[in-house]
Amino acid sequence: MFNFLKPRTIKPPFARYSHGVEVPAGKRLILCSGQLGIGPDDSVPEDAGAQTELCFRNIAAILGEAGLGLKDIVRINAFVTDRAYLQPYMDVRNRTFSDPAPASTLIVVGGFARPEFKVEVEAFAAGDPR
């Protein structure tokens, strides 16, 4: 389905992600806005890993509306508000995606709209035409 790109001429990925993913012609592209670790009841867990779980759960719900799932993600952009949250985020990401994993970027940022948010994840997915 996808061509996961890991050129041998550059340093291998630092973690479970691909340097690039080629989406073949004819696939639908779904772009998910950044999702925060907030539940439908407005609850926000204190733990960065638990917030990450909610981010991916929210993304799965969005993709489900299009008939896709987490397995269809080709790119992840993730943001954390502190270096201390890098590992909890990566632990959840690594449990969520097997190899070959999507292309991924992880950035430390100054903050989000509300101070209790520690993680935000946006995703790009591709799937077969309906």
Side-chain angles (χ1 to χ4, degrees):
M1 174 177 191
F2 304 123
N3 182 19
F4 294 89
L5 307 170
K6 294 183 182 179
R8 294 178 191 210
T9 56
I10 66 176
K11 180 160 179 51
F14 291 102
R16 184 171 290 149
Y17 64 89
S18 298
H19 282 306
V21 180
E22 180 182 10
V23 177
K27 297 287 183 187
R28 292 182 301 134
L29 188 60
I30 308 299
L31 309 175
C32 297
S33 294
Q35 296 299 303
L36 295 160
I38 187 167
D41 61 354
D42 288 329
S43 64
V44 178
E46 175 66 26
D47 178 70
Q51 286 191 23
T52 303
E53 295 278 356
L54 275 171
C55 291
F56 283 118
R57 192 173 308 143
N58 293 343
I59 289 168
I62 294 164
L63 295 176
E65 288 285 309
L68 301 178
L70 294 175
K71 68 179 177 23
D72 299 302
I73 291 177
V74 296
R75 173 143 184 85
I76 301 166
N77 293 327
F79 310 90
V80 296
T81 58
D82 192 288
R83 287 187 187 338
Y85 307 140
L86 293 170
Q87 194 61 54
Y89 163 79
M90 289 188 294
D91 289 345
V92 173
R93 182 200 60 200
N94 292 347
R95 279 195 314 271
T96 303
F97 299 95
S98 59
D99 284 325
S104 183
T105 297
L106 177 54
I107 301 168
V108 178
V109 297
F112 301 118
R114 289 174 27 193
E116 64 266 39
F117 295 128
K118 298 174 179 170
V119 180
E120 182 170 345
V121 181
E122 59 185 30
F124 297 55
D128 292 323
R130 287 188 174 198

